[in-house]
Amino acid sequence: MKTILVAEDNESNYILMTYILKGKYNYVRAKNGQEAVDAVAKGGVDMVLMDIKMPVMDGLEATKTIRETNAEIPIVALTANAFDSDRQLAMEAGCNDFLSKPVSREKCLKAIAQQLGE
């Protein structure tokens, strides 16, 4: 089973993601961008669901940092900011896809499967 890193500082959003992923994927959590960078560097993660607004290091900065050493891992931005400019910033930072919160289970699983080539 593939492992997805859920980079999410908000407890209720993280719990929602665990319900979406449960039974289909293993998941681990990072509560801020720095933890996400460290978790990807450590290995064992197949994909990242990256919240954009987080403490310590935001999701865009974390994505840029991850991309310096790992160009392959799929990163999907998850954000409450649904403007085209937010999507563009996420893609420029190195995200592979962009989902607006609140995300539906169907849309999220479809994006994950697409990024993992399933």
Side-chain angles (χ1 to χ4, degrees):
M1 199 179 296
K2 303 258 185 191
T3 299
I4 296 177
L5 174 65
V6 180
E8 175 61 69
D9 62 314
N10 181 290
E11 192 66 29
S12 59
N13 287 340
Y14 174 71
I15 290 168
L16 172 64
M17 294 313 301
T18 65
Y19 283 116
I20 290 172
L21 300 173
K22 193 171 282 183
K24 290 193 171 287
Y25 301 98
N26 293 321
Y27 49 87
V28 292
R29 182 181 187 183
K31 291 185 179 181
N32 62 58
Q34 186 60 58
E35 287 183 10
V37 169
D38 295 344
V40 171
K42 195 170 84 176
V45 174
D46 298 295
M47 184 179 164
V48 181
L49 293 174
M50 183 75 77
D51 183 26
I52 299 303
K53 300 262 190 277
M54 291 187 291
V56 183
M57 179 190 290
D58 71 31
L60 296 178
E61 195 59 40
T63 298
K64 290 176 190 170
T65 303
I66 290 167
R67 288 294 179 229
E68 290 172 8
T69 56
N70 188 330
E72 288 80 41
I73 192 165
I75 301 175
V76 174
L78 281 175
T79 183
N81 300 338
F83 299 107
D84 286 341
S85 58
D86 297 309
R87 174 185 292 273
Q88 186 164 347
L89 286 172
M91 300 314 251
E92 287 172 4
C95 291
N96 301 88
D97 202 353
F98 181 96
L99 294 173
S100 299
K101 293 177 185 174
V103 66
S104 74
R105 183 173 196 272
E106 183 182 307
K107 208 177 229 184
C108 186
L109 290 175
K110 183 178 178 187
I112 293 168
Q114 189 175 3
Q115 292 302 320
L116 293 175
E118 297 176 338

